[in-house]
Amino acid sequence: MSRDILFKTEEFVFSYRVGGLLTHNNKILLQKPKNDHYAIIGGHVSGFETTTETLKREFEEELHAKIEIDRLFAVGEIFFPWGQKPCHQICMYYKVHLSNEHDIPLEGCWHGYDELDNERIDLDYCWVLLEHLKNGAKVYPLELIPYILHETNNVIHFVSRNLP
């Protein structure tokens, strides 16, 4: 039984998620499901797990990489379609760095996977130039991108509304 903080009702889905912003040499590491756009690497928080514990677990499960948490970067209130239902997601984004830079490739793309609702989701993990984010590379949530490009020491709060 999953302990993810992910509730589905007749009317909507609620999701509590965490994401990690890992940058290296003016690139950011992103995940890309097949036939979809880039997203920040992370996952759902489990019951009684802190967001930093979740993020470390997700990087180990998905990338087989250990990370260190640098700081809370942003909090997002995100509204988007989840299948046929609207989803209300709260997501904490942290700046992170690798504990050991030899854990993963520091260039290019490679294949991996994650699981959600007992389904395998094939993913590509890609280093994307920050410059490409300026030039319109689709990364969700879109509202977070300007803050990634023009970093501040303050914790950012943003709202992303992508519902019809």
Side-chain angles (χ1 to χ4, degrees):
M1 182 168 137
S2 174
R3 295 182 51 207
D4 288 350
I5 302 176
L6 175 65
F7 300 100
K8 297 178 181 180
T9 71
E10 291 293 322
E11 294 86 31
F12 68 92
V13 176
F14 175 79
S15 164
Y16 183 31
R17 190 176 186 277
V18 63
L21 304 170
L22 176 61
T23 58
H24 178 75
N25 287 341
N26 294 313
K27 296 177 184 172
I28 185 168
L29 186 61
L30 300 171
Q31 66 184 24
K32 185 177 185 308
K34 302 294 182 206
N35 303 316
D36 206 347
H37 300 290
Y38 290 110
I40 305 299
I41 296 169
H44 288 101
V45 179
S46 288
F48 304 101
E49 185 178 53
T50 67
T51 52
T52 57
E53 290 169 340
T54 298
L55 198 53
K56 288 180 178 183
R57 174 180 54 77
E58 289 289 341
F59 269 78
E60 285 189 44
E61 287 176 0
E62 294 179 22
L63 297 167
H64 308 291
K66 292 188 183 292
I67 58 165
E68 298 297 325
I69 308 296
D70 296 325
R71 69 179 187 87
L72 179 62
F73 181 78
V75 177
E77 297 180 68
I78 305 165
F79 303 89
F80 63 96
W82 183 301
Q84 300 301 313
K85 296 179 185 178
C87 181
H88 180 165
Q89 183 177 85
I90 304 296
C91 190
M92 311 285 238
Y93 295 93
Y94 289 89
K95 296 286 282 185
V96 302
H97 68 272
L98 292 169
S99 297
N100 180 350
E101 289 193 349
H102 301 291
D103 281 351
I104 61 172
L106 297 177
E107 296 287 331
C109 294
W110 65 97
H111 303 293
Y113 71 93
D114 193 8
E115 289 186 25
L116 182 62
D117 293 336
N118 296 316
E119 276 190 45
R120 179 184 164 124
I121 300 168
D122 290 317
L123 298 168
D124 287 330
Y125 295 98
C126 298
W127 288 101
V128 177
L129 284 168
L130 292 172
E131 186 68 30
H132 287 256
L133 301 184
K134 289 180 193 174
N135 297 330
K138 295 269 187 178
V139 179
Y140 288 104
L142 297 171
E143 293 79 1
L144 183 59
I145 301 311
Y147 300 111
I148 292 172
L149 295 173
H150 305 286
E151 188 170 342
T152 174
N153 288 329
N154 298 324
V155 176
I156 303 304
H157 169 258
F158 69 93
V159 176
S160 174
R161 292 186 188 272
N162 292 305
L163 289 173

